[in-house]
Amino acid sequence: MAKYTRASSRGDRYNRRLLFMSAGCGMRDRLLAAEKVKAIDWRDGALYLLDQRILPFEETWIAYTSAAGVAEAIRSMVVRGAPAIGISTAYGVVLAARARFAEGGDWQAALEEDFALLADSRPTAVNLFWALGRMRDRLERLKDHADPMAVLEAEAIAIHESDREANLTMAQLGVDLIRKHQGNAQAILTHCNTGALATGGFGTALGVIRGAFIEGMVERVYANETRPWLQGSRLTAWELSNEGIPVTLNADSAAAHIMKTKGITWVIVGADRITANGDVANKIGTYQLAVNAMHHGVRFMVVAPSSTIDMNLASGDDIPIEERDGRELLEVGGKRVGADVDAFNPVFDVTPADLIDAIITEKGIVERPDTAKMAQLMCRKRLH
Ligand code: MRU
């Protein structure tokens, strides 16, 4: 595992909105031009991950050449965010297959150990298991004459590329939905990090927010700090401020007050797993945002690629919820701040479908989700 570090700058600050408005090109081109940050790079047969544990202070890339390394990167959250976890997993399978193939013998049987290792890294984001399923399926369809390494590498790259494409489609659909309901000058509240750092493109919920900003429809984004791992204050605030998108950071517990006093029109979040009835698992705190949004008449949008939808689970009650070390709550920057007690640290919760106004995917939009509408959605082709 090799590391490459450079001191973090705040990035190029510029008025992206003016830039795009003057460019006179289509929304897709304007969105593509907004892709600045990336967190995953597949280069020269190695997986490079931007270490999200130390952002925004340092931009350090770590090179991985084994499935065990990738599994540990996912577990320790060097890489995080459901789609980014799925993409990294696919590359992890490529690395594993290369090593097993070189060992000779029944390499496909030996690969099962690596599948199990990767599957064990984090439990909630279904994209991880979806990516393993895609890679396994590709493996099973290998023709005798094919070069297995080239085929698996192409599959992982296709997973990465299609997530990027999905981000673009979802941004366009989300912006259209916002436009349908209200005009300009939106104040938006978001939770966790759902941007370029969490995906293969420029984001799910943050992609819609970026798109809406480009279209001149966002006045300010309120970013929940997202305790305890601080995805909001460390990652989302960093991504948005680097692009000149007006962002204000707030404590998670300020969200209801902000909905009441700051003219919030939409809460826009991502997802880690969406079940067949439209229930949504996402970062802990999302459920209480949805309850508060309902109370304040604020619309609630979930943005996620179809790889986040798990039609095998009937409802959110069946989703495994990851619990992480209590020290994430009891310590700040490695220093103990909490009393000498046990801490309960579930890092996801489930928002029931009936609190959700719309789920945006690359296959289309589901408004007021339920089982029938989710089934219809999954029968559709991707829109790109
Ligand atoms: O624990 P994390 O940082 O992996 O959790 C991430 C989230 O909950 C995101 O909201 C979700 O994965 C959507 S990312 C596009």
Side-chain angles (χ1 to χ4, degrees):
M1 189 200 305
K3 285 192 175 192
Y4 309 85
T5 305
R6 72 177 168 82
S8 173
S9 74
R10 295 207 73 197
D12 298 331
R13 285 182 162 275
Y14 54 92
N15 191 330
R16 187 169 297 279
R17 188 187 319 189
L18 279 182
L19 182 75
F20 288 118
M21 285 173 103
S22 62
C25 45
M27 184 172 167
R28 188 188 152 83
D29 294 330
R30 298 197 294 273
L31 289 168
L32 273 173
E35 274 189 347
K36 292 285 172 200
V37 175
K38 66 174 171 179
I40 304 172
D41 200 12
W42 175 254
R43 195 161 22 96
D44 306 325
L47 177 64
Y48 290 79
L49 297 174
L50 178 60
D51 189 346
Q52 302 195 31
R53 299 169 303 179
I54 49 178
L55 283 173
F57 303 110
E58 262 180 39
E59 288 175 46
T60 296
W61 286 86
I62 307 178
Y64 293 92
T65 52
S66 72
V70 175
E72 184 49 33
I74 294 170
R75 182 174 300 109
S76 64
M77 294 173 70
V78 170
V79 63
R80 32 70 46 207
I85 290 171
I87 294 162
S88 303
T89 301
Y91 287 126
V93 172
V94 178
L95 295 171
R98 192 171 64 196
R100 297 294 182 187
F101 194 67
E103 281 168 11
D106 190 350
W107 66 275
Q108 294 203 25
L111 198 55
E112 286 307 318
E113 213 177 292
D114 305 294
F115 272 96
L117 191 68
L118 287 161
D120 201 35
S121 54
R122 287 190 79 187
T124 304
V126 76
N127 308 59
L128 189 157
F129 306 97
W130 171 87
L132 286 177
R134 275 262 311 239
M135 297 304 282
R136 182 188 295 284
D137 185 54
R138 194 65 200 86
L139 204 55
E140 284 166 4
R141 286 188 292 110
L142 272 179
K143 301 271 188 307
D144 283 345
H145 59 271
D147 169 0
M149 294 314 119
V151 169
L152 289 176
E153 183 180 24
E155 188 70 5
I157 292 171
I159 286 174
H160 194 166
E161 269 305 305
S162 74
D163 188 63
R164 183 171 173 239
E165 280 294 325
N167 285 183
L168 289 167
T169 306
M170 292 186 294
Q172 287 169 297
L173 292 174
V175 168
D176 288 347
L177 187 69
I178 293 173
R179 195 178 275 121
K180 187 175 117 183
H181 285 289
Q182 286 118 347
N184 292 338
Q186 309 278 323
I188 289 169
L189 181 69
T190 191
H191 192 58
C192 199
N193 173 266
T194 59
L197 295 168
T199 64
F202 75 174
T204 55
L206 221 52
V208 170
I209 292 170
R210 280 187 161 107
F213 176 74
I214 288 166
E215 294 295 295
M217 294 159 65
V218 175
E219 267 196 345
R220 181 150 297 275
V221 181
Y222 288 87
N224 282 351
E225 66 172 346
T226 319
R227 286 275 295 149
W229 213 74
L230 303 180
Q231 287 91 334
S233 55
R234 296 194 302 106
L235 309 179
T236 300
W238 180 71
E239 280 198 43
L240 293 179
S241 65
N242 278 347
E243 292 179 21
I245 298 178
V247 55
T248 299
L249 182 68
N250 56 269
D252 299 335
S253 46
H257 176 70
I258 288 172
M259 285 183 210
K260 190 173 161 187
T261 59
K262 297 292 184 188
I264 301 292
T265 46
W266 283 91
V267 173
I268 308 183
V269 297
D272 289 84
R273 197 183 293 227
I274 301 174
T275 50
N277 66 342
D279 289 351
V280 169
N282 191 47
K283 181 51 55 192
I284 191 76
T286 304
Y287 176 27
Q288 64 194 20
L289 284 180
V291 171
N292 276 313
M294 181 67 88
H295 179 77
H296 290 99
V298 171
R299 288 194 169 81
F300 193 90
M301 182 194 299
V302 175
V303 188
S306 57
S307 53
T308 303
I309 299 175
D310 183 352
M311 294 300 278
N312 294 319
L313 298 189
S315 85
D317 295 343
D318 304 327
I319 298 175
I321 299 292
E322 179 182 6
E323 289 175 25
R324 293 183 73 86
D325 196 321
R327 281 180 301 180
E328 288 185 354
L329 284 168
L330 292 165
E331 296 177 358
V332 173
K335 187 176 181 307
R336 181 88 183 194
V337 292
D340 189 14
V341 293
D342 287 340
F344 174 47
N345 186 21
V347 297
F348 299 98
D349 60 25
V350 176
T351 300
D354 58 9
L355 295 178
I356 296 168
D357 287 288
I359 296 176
I360 314 282
T361 77
E362 84 285 8
K363 286 170 175 262
I365 300 178
V366 177
E367 294 194 61
R368 312 297 313 164
D370 61 23
T371 304
K373 290 179 193 171
M374 291 304 295
Q376 270 170 15
L377 175 85
M378 292 310 278
C379 292
R380 286 191 215 153
K381 289 211 170 75
R382 301 166 74 97
L383 291 177
H384 60 256

